[in-house]
């Protein structure tokens, strides 16, 4: 694996095979590495970026303490046969950068983290402009993020195709996240209740929608309230628990077929997010 630190050196990235851009903030786990694996399976030139992006953190968030484990990340990427690792210099990367506004920011994480997605899209756009990759890889775990990237690519006529990797979980079902490192083993086990409840919500929703006995928005409201209470009883502080149209993050309407069940909750002060998609078109 070649490590690149200067923008000018990106020209060494060979263009013989299509490029897969895989942006990350490092502290790589099996979720990140699954994206690298996927790109390798597709015989692409994998290019991982590690950049703890200051633009996407709010003033009271964990930018300073965010785990930075470059040596270990390099080792893990080598094992996956990653082709390139780009470790940009903050000053060089941010110099003259176009600050962008993200769409879909009035919902979910965008609502509780003002400016977060503006910061994400500003940096991702910089990488896209620098590399003009054939593909970019993002995880479903950050559902709203991949939706915003998808919209950005389309609206700006990038030829880059987005590939969304499924959420990788630990054996209890907790979605892997660098922030899980803030929790003890026992706390992680308890936090896996997020996945258990998400699955229950999807099951209930499928059953209720199949019966079609109640108005859809009433169903959604009742289910969300019930599960918010269940979470709170187990020591979670809910930021949001929402059931929305997965295509546009709008309120669910009769006839919608792709449904997003998304949650953000604090457990022991750590903000965890997860989601499941319920595809009714196949049922
Ligand atoms: P981050 O380093 O948190 O910015 O994440 C970098 C990329 O890895 C994003 O596209 C995430 O959606 C993706 N990612 C993070 N956690 C997971 C996971 N558990 N499974 C799959 N992809 C993930």
């Amino acid at each position: 694996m070649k490590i690149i630190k200067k923008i000018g050196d990106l020209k060494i990235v060979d263009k013989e095979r299509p490029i897969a851009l895989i942006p990350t903030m490092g502290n790589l786990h099996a979720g990140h590495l699954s994206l690298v694996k996927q790109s390798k399976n597709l015989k692409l030139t994998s290019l991982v970026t590690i950049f703890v992006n200051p633009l996407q953190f709010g003033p009271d968030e964990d930018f300073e303490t965010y785990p930075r484990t470059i040596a270990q990340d390099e080792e893990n990427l080598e094992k996956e046969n990653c082709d390139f690792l780009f470790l940009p210099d903050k000053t060089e990367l941010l110099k003259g950068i176009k600050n962008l506004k993200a769409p879909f920011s009035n919902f979910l994480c965008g609502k509780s983290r003002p400016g977060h997605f503006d910061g994400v899209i500003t940096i991702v756009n910089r990488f896209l402009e620098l590399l003009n990759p054939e593909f970019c890889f993002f995880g479903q775990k950050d559902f709203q993020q991949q939706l915003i990237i998808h919209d950005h690519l389309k609206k700006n006529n990038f030829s880059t195709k987005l590939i969304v990797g499924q959420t990788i979980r630990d054996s209890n079902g907790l979605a892997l996240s660098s922030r899980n490192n803030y929790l003890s083993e026992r706390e992680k086990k308890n936090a896996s209740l997020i996945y258990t409840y998400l699955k229950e919500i999807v099951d209930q929703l499928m059953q209720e929608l199949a019966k079609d006995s109640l108005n859809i928005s009433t169903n959604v409201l009742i289910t969300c309230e019930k599960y918010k209470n269940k979470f709170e009883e187990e020591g979670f502080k809910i930021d949001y628990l929402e059931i929305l149209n997965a295509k546009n993050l709008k309120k669910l309407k009769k006839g919608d077929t792709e449904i997003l069940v998304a949650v953000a909750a604090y457990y022991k002060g750590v903000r965890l997010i997860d989601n499941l998609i319920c595809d009714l078109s196949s049922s």
Side-chain angles (χ1 to χ4, degrees), residues 23-25 29 31-32 35 138-139 141-142 145 166-168 176:
T24 81
M25 297 205 298
H29 51 62
H32 300 110
L35 301 176
F138 287 85
K141 200 200 110 203
D142 297 273
Q145 172 169 275
Q166 66 176 43
T167 304
I168 305 298
L176 296 186

Side-chain angles (χ1 to χ4, degrees), residues 22-35 49 51 56 66 137-143 145-146 165-169 174-179:
I22 308 166
T24 81
M25 297 205 298
N27 191 236
L28 304 179
H29 51 62
H32 300 110
L33 298 174
S34 72
L35 301 176
T49 65
F51 181 62
Q56 72 183 66
Y66 195 85
F137 283 68
F138 287 85
Q140 188 198 311
K141 200 200 110 203
D142 297 273
F143 187 86
Q145 172 169 275
Q146 62 78 31
Q166 66 176 43
T167 304
I168 305 298
R169 306 174 177 282
L174 178 67
L176 296 186
S177 161
S178 303
R179 291 195 170 97

Side-chain angles (χ1 to χ4, degrees), residues 210-233:
K211 277 193 284 175
D212 204 17
S213 54
L214 277 172
N215 174 296
I216 194 165
S217 48
T218 318
N219 266 347
V220 162
L221 266 178
I222 294 172
T223 309
C224 287
E225 277 319 299
K226 177 172 138 193
Y227 275 90
K228 274 182 195 167
N229 289 334
K230 278 166 78 93
F231 272 119
E232 303 272 348
E233 278 162 19

Side-chain angles (χ1 to χ4, degrees), residues 32-272:
H32 300 110
L33 298 174
S34 72
L35 301 176
V36 181
K37 276 198 178 86
Q38 237 179 306
S39 74
K40 296 300 297 184
N41 288 341
L42 291 169
K43 310 250 178 299
L44 306 173
T45 295
S46 48
L47 187 148
V48 170
T49 65
I50 296 185
F51 181 62
V52 184
N53 172 15
L55 306 182
Q56 72 183 66
F57 286 79
D60 299 326
E61 293 184 347
D62 55 347
F63 173 71
E64 295 300 336
T65 55
Y66 195 85
R68 289 157 170 90
T69 51
I70 288 292
Q72 198 186 313
D73 291 348
E74 282 178 20
E75 224 174 89
N76 284 326
L77 289 171
E78 286 281 7
K79 280 192 202 141
E80 297 298 338
N81 290 318
C82 176
D83 298 292
F84 293 94
L85 169 61
F86 181 37
L87 298 172
D89 170 73
K90 186 169 112 189
T91 313
E92 192 187 20
L93 193 72
L94 299 185
K95 195 171 171 206
I97 199 161
K98 263 188 274 170
N99 283 301
L100 302 183
K101 276 257 163 258
F104 300 112
S105 287
N106 299 328
F107 313 90
L108 307 177
C109 291
K111 203 154 79 181
S112 34
R113 302 183 70 189
H116 168 70
F117 289 117
D118 297 342
V120 170
I121 200 67
T122 295
I123 290 298
V124 171
N125 182 65
R126 182 91 166 107
F127 291 145
L128 289 169
E129 287 189 345
L130 287 172
L131 286 151
N132 194 20
E134 280 79 1
F135 294 90
C136 63
F137 283 68
F138 287 85
Q140 188 198 311
K141 200 200 110 203
D142 297 273
F143 187 86
Q144 190 172 10
Q145 172 169 275
Q146 62 78 31
L147 197 73
I148 288 168
I149 307 288
H150 181 79
D151 183 84
H152 181 72
L153 293 173
K154 206 165 139 199
K155 285 206 182 117
N156 295 285
N157 298 317
F158 279 100
S159 55
T160 309
K161 292 199 176 50
L162 168 66
I163 297 190
V164 180
Q166 66 176 43
T167 304
I168 305 298
R169 306 174 177 282
D170 72 10
S171 56
N172 297 311
L174 178 67
L176 296 186
S177 161
S178 303
R179 291 195 170 97
N180 295 354
N181 286 332
Y182 299 140
L183 298 172
S184 68
E185 285 310 310
R186 170 164 282 283
E187 288 168 341
K188 278 193 249 186
K189 192 153 181 267
N190 296 341
S192 68
L193 203 59
I194 293 179
Y195 183 53
T196 309
Y197 283 170
L198 279 180
K199 280 192 301 183
E200 283 183 22
I201 294 171
V202 168
D203 286 349
Q204 287 188 17
L205 208 62
M206 297 282 262
Q207 281 173 23
E208 283 162 17
L209 292 178
K211 277 193 284 175
D212 204 17
S213 54
L214 277 172
N215 174 296
I216 194 165
S217 48
T218 318
N219 266 347
V220 162
L221 266 178
I222 294 172
T223 309
C224 287
E225 277 319 299
K226 177 172 138 193
Y227 275 90
K228 274 182 195 167
N229 289 334
K230 278 166 78 93
F231 272 119
E232 303 272 348
E233 278 162 19
E234 296 293 338
F236 291 83
K237 192 174 158 304
I238 290 290
D239 179 358
Y240 62 74
L241 170 61
E242 300 220 39
I243 302 174
L244 300 169
N245 180 320
K247 292 208 174 112
N248 52 24
L249 303 186
K250 291 202 170 134
K251 270 196 182 149
L252 216 54
K253 289 198 312 294
K254 205 173 164 68
D256 287 346
T257 52
E258 252 184 77
I259 299 175
L260 168 73
V261 184
V263 64
Y266 290 88
Y267 188 66
K268 303 290 169 195
V270 180
R271 191 171 186 279
L272 303 168

